[in-house]
Amino acid sequence: IIPGVQKCGTSSLFAWMSQHPDVHGSIPKEVHYFDVNYHRGESWYRSFFPVAVREGADLTVGEASPYYIIHPWVPGRIHDLIPDVKLIALLRNPTERAISHFFHEVALGNETLPLEEAIRAEEARIRSAWERLSADGSFRSRAHQSFSYRQRGLYEEQLRRFHAVFSRDQLLVLDSGALFRSPLATLSRILEFLDVNPDFDQFSLGPKNKGAYTEKVPARLVEELKAYFAPHNRSLFDYLGEEFEW
């Protein structure tokens, strides 16, 4: 399972991995069972994967739902159903991720505020929803899914929730920048992690669901976001024992 993070390359990674003959991705990519569709039950979830796997064929199957990583109830739910799952988390420079997230929501028609106003309105927009979601796993908030621009970049607390129920060797944490700079090397690392034949390298590596925008981003906002994320990034790198080029 690729639980996130949104706007960090999950669509590209899912598409690339699905090209491997021993890997089969869910249809669609984002099942969202463990977050917003949990009430539908296990049989509903399993219906998104190939019958051959359910009959014992030697395939590795997976899905990618980028809301999983931030949803507080998801790690425990995954562990209850698939305790030996392999998880892959893609992390991106959180300043770039937040800005890309904003333009993604604009393109979807969800965001009507200007960029700076939207970033600064985040806490007021999602605070009560986050509190309720943390207390009630059946609650769903469109506002939290859409407007959590900065919160989704606080990666350490999200990873800690997964590490609370999964061993570290079950969760591969990658810098999405490295994935796009050195895709074959990163994919080889992923195949090894998944115990999938590492000799396959015939990937078509075009990016998927890549955001594009022409609006100029104010430099002051970029600096503000960098300053906000700096201590969180430092703590994340210490926690992982690895630094990314952010």
Short mmCIF file of all heavy atoms in Angstrom, two decimals, residues 29-55:
data_model
loop_
_atom_site.label_atom_id
_atom_site.label_comp_id
_atom_site.label_asym_id
_atom_site.label_seq_id
_atom_site.Cartn_x
_atom_site.Cartn_y
_atom_site.Cartn_z
N LYS A 29 -6.75 3.26 -8.88
CA LYS A 29 -5.58 3.41 -8.02
C LYS A 29 -5.97 3.70 -6.58
O LYS A 29 -5.41 3.12 -5.65
CB LYS A 29 -4.72 4.56 -8.56
CG LYS A 29 -3.66 5.09 -7.60
CD LYS A 29 -3.36 6.56 -7.87
CE LYS A 29 -2.51 7.17 -6.76
NZ LYS A 29 -2.55 8.63 -6.77
N GLU A 30 -6.91 4.60 -6.37
CA GLU A 30 -7.27 5.06 -5.03
C GLU A 30 -8.57 4.39 -4.58
O GLU A 30 -9.65 4.81 -4.95
CB GLU A 30 -7.40 6.58 -4.98
CG GLU A 30 -6.10 7.29 -5.35
CD GLU A 30 -6.19 8.81 -5.22
OE1 GLU A 30 -7.11 9.31 -4.56
OE2 GLU A 30 -5.30 9.49 -5.78
N VAL A 31 -8.44 3.36 -3.77
CA VAL A 31 -9.61 2.65 -3.28
C VAL A 31 -10.22 3.39 -2.08
O VAL A 31 -11.44 3.41 -1.90
CB VAL A 31 -9.25 1.20 -2.89
CG1 VAL A 31 -10.48 0.45 -2.38
CG2 VAL A 31 -8.62 0.47 -4.08
N HIS A 32 -9.39 3.98 -1.27
CA HIS A 32 -9.85 4.74 -0.09
C HIS A 32 -10.71 3.90 0.84
O HIS A 32 -11.66 4.40 1.43
CB HIS A 32 -10.62 6.01 -0.52
CG HIS A 32 -9.74 7.11 -1.01
ND1 HIS A 32 -8.94 7.85 -0.17
CD2 HIS A 32 -9.52 7.59 -2.27
CE1 HIS A 32 -8.27 8.75 -0.88
NE2 HIS A 32 -8.60 8.59 -2.15
N TYR A 33 -10.33 2.64 0.98
CA TYR A 33 -11.10 1.78 1.89
C TYR A 33 -10.85 2.11 3.35
O TYR A 33 -11.79 2.26 4.14
CB TYR A 33 -10.76 0.31 1.62
CG TYR A 33 -11.34 -0.64 2.65
CD1 TYR A 33 -12.72 -0.72 2.85
CD2 TYR A 33 -10.52 -1.45 3.44
CE1 TYR A 33 -13.27 -1.58 3.79
CE2 TYR A 33 -11.05 -2.31 4.38
CZ TYR A 33 -12.43 -2.38 4.56
OH TYR A 33 -12.96 -3.22 5.50
N PHE A 34 -9.57 2.23 3.71
CA PHE A 34 -9.23 2.35 5.12
C PHE A 34 -9.50 3.74 5.70
O PHE A 34 -9.36 3.94 6.90
CB PHE A 34 -7.76 1.96 5.35
CG PHE A 34 -7.48 0.52 5.05
CD1 PHE A 34 -6.85 0.15 3.87
CD2 PHE A 34 -7.86 -0.47 5.93
CE1 PHE A 34 -6.58 -1.18 3.59
CE2 PHE A 34 -7.61 -1.81 5.66
CZ PHE A 34 -6.97 -2.17 4.48
N ASP A 35 -9.87 4.70 4.84
CA ASP A 35 -10.21 6.02 5.36
C ASP A 35 -11.72 6.27 5.23
O ASP A 35 -12.46 6.18 6.20
CB ASP A 35 -9.37 7.13 4.72
CG ASP A 35 -9.29 7.05 3.20
OD1 ASP A 35 -10.21 6.50 2.56
OD2 ASP A 35 -8.29 7.55 2.64
N VAL A 36 -12.21 6.56 4.03
CA VAL A 36 -13.60 7.01 3.90
C VAL A 36 -14.59 5.92 3.50
O VAL A 36 -15.80 6.14 3.51
CB VAL A 36 -13.70 8.20 2.92
CG1 VAL A 36 -12.85 9.36 3.42
CG2 VAL A 36 -13.28 7.79 1.51
N ASN A 37 -14.09 4.74 3.13
CA ASN A 37 -14.99 3.65 2.72
C ASN A 37 -14.94 2.45 3.65
O ASN A 37 -15.38 1.35 3.28
CB ASN A 37 -14.66 3.20 1.29
CG ASN A 37 -15.04 4.24 0.25
OD1 ASN A 37 -16.17 4.73 0.25
ND2 ASN A 37 -14.10 4.58 -0.62
N TYR A 38 -14.43 2.63 4.84
CA TYR A 38 -14.22 1.50 5.74
C TYR A 38 -15.53 0.80 6.09
O TYR A 38 -15.55 -0.42 6.33
CB TYR A 38 -13.53 1.99 7.00
CG TYR A 38 -12.94 0.89 7.86
CD1 TYR A 38 -11.95 0.05 7.36
CD2 TYR A 38 -13.39 0.70 9.16
CE1 TYR A 38 -11.41 -0.95 8.14
CE2 TYR A 38 -12.85 -0.31 9.95
CZ TYR A 38 -11.86 -1.13 9.44
OH TYR A 38 -11.33 -2.12 10.22
N HIS A 39 -16.61 1.54 6.09
CA HIS A 39 -17.90 0.96 6.44
C HIS A 39 -18.40 -0.05 5.39
O HIS A 39 -19.33 -0.81 5.65
CB HIS A 39 -18.95 2.08 6.58
CG HIS A 39 -19.16 2.86 5.32
ND1 HIS A 39 -18.26 3.80 4.86
CD2 HIS A 39 -20.17 2.82 4.40
CE1 HIS A 39 -18.70 4.32 3.72
NE2 HIS A 39 -19.86 3.74 3.42
N ARG A 40 -17.77 -0.06 4.22
CA ARG A 40 -18.22 -0.96 3.15
C ARG A 40 -17.78 -2.41 3.37
O ARG A 40 -18.33 -3.32 2.75
CB ARG A 40 -17.74 -0.45 1.79
CG ARG A 40 -18.29 0.92 1.44
CD ARG A 40 -17.82 1.37 0.06
NE ARG A 40 -18.26 2.72 -0.25
CZ ARG A 40 -19.44 3.04 -0.77
NH1 ARG A 40 -20.31 2.07 -1.04
NH2 ARG A 40 -19.76 4.29 -1.01
N GLY A 41 -16.77 -2.61 4.18
CA GLY A 41 -16.39 -3.96 4.55
C GLY A 41 -15.30 -4.59 3.71
O GLY A 41 -14.96 -4.13 2.61
N GLU A 42 -14.73 -5.67 4.25
CA GLU A 42 -13.56 -6.32 3.65
C GLU A 42 -13.85 -6.87 2.25
O GLU A 42 -13.00 -6.76 1.35
CB GLU A 42 -13.08 -7.44 4.56
CG GLU A 42 -11.87 -8.19 4.03
CD GLU A 42 -11.45 -9.33 4.92
OE1 GLU A 42 -11.92 -9.39 6.09
OE2 GLU A 42 -10.67 -10.18 4.45
N SER A 43 -15.00 -7.46 2.05
CA SER A 43 -15.31 -8.04 0.72
C SER A 43 -15.33 -6.96 -0.35
O SER A 43 -14.87 -7.18 -1.48
CB SER A 43 -16.65 -8.77 0.76
OG SER A 43 -16.60 -9.88 1.62
N TRP A 44 -15.88 -5.82 0.00
CA TRP A 44 -15.88 -4.69 -0.95
C TRP A 44 -14.45 -4.30 -1.30
O TRP A 44 -14.12 -4.10 -2.47
CB TRP A 44 -16.61 -3.50 -0.31
CG TRP A 44 -16.68 -2.28 -1.17
CD1 TRP A 44 -17.64 -1.98 -2.09
CD2 TRP A 44 -15.76 -1.18 -1.19
NE1 TRP A 44 -17.38 -0.76 -2.69
CE2 TRP A 44 -16.23 -0.25 -2.16
CE3 TRP A 44 -14.59 -0.89 -0.49
CZ2 TRP A 44 -15.55 0.95 -2.43
CZ3 TRP A 44 -13.91 0.30 -0.76
CH2 TRP A 44 -14.41 1.19 -1.72
N TYR A 45 -13.58 -4.23 -0.30
CA TYR A 45 -12.18 -3.85 -0.53
C TYR A 45 -11.50 -4.88 -1.44
O TYR A 45 -10.84 -4.51 -2.42
CB TYR A 45 -11.46 -3.76 0.81
CG TYR A 45 -9.99 -3.38 0.68
CD1 TYR A 45 -9.61 -2.20 0.05
CD2 TYR A 45 -9.00 -4.20 1.22
CE1 TYR A 45 -8.27 -1.85 -0.06
CE2 TYR A 45 -7.66 -3.85 1.12
CZ TYR A 45 -7.30 -2.68 0.48
OH TYR A 45 -5.97 -2.32 0.38
N ARG A 46 -11.67 -6.13 -1.13
CA ARG A 46 -10.97 -7.17 -1.90
C ARG A 46 -11.45 -7.24 -3.36
O ARG A 46 -10.74 -7.74 -4.22
CB ARG A 46 -11.14 -8.53 -1.22
CG ARG A 46 -10.41 -8.61 0.11
CD ARG A 46 -10.43 -10.02 0.68
NE ARG A 46 -9.74 -10.11 1.96
CZ ARG A 46 -8.42 -10.21 2.10
NH1 ARG A 46 -7.63 -10.24 1.02
NH2 ARG A 46 -7.88 -10.29 3.29
N SER A 47 -12.63 -6.72 -3.64
CA SER A 47 -13.16 -6.77 -5.00
C SER A 47 -12.37 -5.93 -5.98
O SER A 47 -12.52 -6.07 -7.20
CB SER A 47 -14.63 -6.33 -5.01
OG SER A 47 -14.75 -4.92 -4.79
N PHE A 48 -11.49 -5.04 -5.48
CA PHE A 48 -10.70 -4.17 -6.36
C PHE A 48 -9.40 -4.83 -6.81
O PHE A 48 -8.65 -4.23 -7.57
CB PHE A 48 -10.39 -2.85 -5.64
CG PHE A 48 -11.60 -1.99 -5.45
CD1 PHE A 48 -12.38 -2.10 -4.31
CD2 PHE A 48 -12.00 -1.09 -6.42
CE1 PHE A 48 -13.51 -1.33 -4.12
CE2 PHE A 48 -13.13 -0.31 -6.26
CZ PHE A 48 -13.89 -0.42 -5.10
N PHE A 49 -9.16 -6.05 -6.35
CA PHE A 49 -7.93 -6.75 -6.69
C PHE A 49 -8.23 -7.97 -7.54
O PHE A 49 -9.35 -8.49 -7.51
CB PHE A 49 -7.18 -7.14 -5.41
CG PHE A 49 -6.83 -5.95 -4.57
CD1 PHE A 49 -7.61 -5.60 -3.48
CD2 PHE A 49 -5.75 -5.15 -4.89
CE1 PHE A 49 -7.31 -4.49 -2.71
CE2 PHE A 49 -5.44 -4.03 -4.13
CZ PHE A 49 -6.22 -3.70 -3.04
N PRO A 50 -7.26 -8.43 -8.33
CA PRO A 50 -7.53 -9.51 -9.29
C PRO A 50 -7.93 -10.81 -8.63
O PRO A 50 -7.41 -11.19 -7.58
CB PRO A 50 -6.21 -9.64 -10.06
CG PRO A 50 -5.18 -9.05 -9.16
CD PRO A 50 -5.87 -7.96 -8.42
N VAL A 51 -8.85 -11.53 -9.28
CA VAL A 51 -9.33 -12.81 -8.78
C VAL A 51 -8.17 -13.79 -8.65
O VAL A 51 -8.13 -14.60 -7.72
CB VAL A 51 -10.42 -13.38 -9.71
CG1 VAL A 51 -10.80 -14.79 -9.28
CG2 VAL A 51 -11.64 -12.47 -9.68
N ALA A 52 -7.21 -13.73 -9.58
CA ALA A 52 -6.09 -14.67 -9.56
C ALA A 52 -5.34 -14.62 -8.24
O ALA A 52 -4.87 -15.64 -7.74
CB ALA A 52 -5.13 -14.38 -10.72
N VAL A 53 -5.24 -13.45 -7.66
CA VAL A 53 -4.55 -13.33 -6.38
C VAL A 53 -5.35 -14.03 -5.29
O VAL A 53 -4.82 -14.74 -4.45
CB VAL A 53 -4.33 -11.84 -6.03
CG1 VAL A 53 -3.77 -11.71 -4.62
CG2 VAL A 53 -3.38 -11.21 -7.03
N ARG A 54 -6.65 -13.83 -5.32
CA ARG A 54 -7.49 -14.46 -4.31
C ARG A 54 -7.46 -15.99 -4.45
O ARG A 54 -7.74 -16.72 -3.50
CB ARG A 54 -8.93 -13.94 -4.42
CG ARG A 54 -9.01 -12.44 -4.19
CD ARG A 54 -10.43 -12.01 -3.82
NE ARG A 54 -11.39 -12.28 -4.87
CZ ARG A 54 -11.66 -11.43 -5.87
NH1 ARG A 54 -10.99 -10.29 -5.98
NH2 ARG A 54 -12.59 -11.73 -6.77
N GLU A 55 -7.09 -16.48 -5.65
CA GLU A 55 -7.01 -17.93 -5.87
C GLU A 55 -5.59 -18.46 -5.70
O GLU A 55 -5.32 -19.61 -5.97
CB GLU A 55 -7.54 -18.26 -7.26
CG GLU A 55 -9.04 -17.96 -7.41
CD GLU A 55 -9.54 -18.24 -8.81
OE1 GLU A 55 -8.71 -18.43 -9.72
OE2 GLU A 55 -10.77 -18.26 -9.00
#
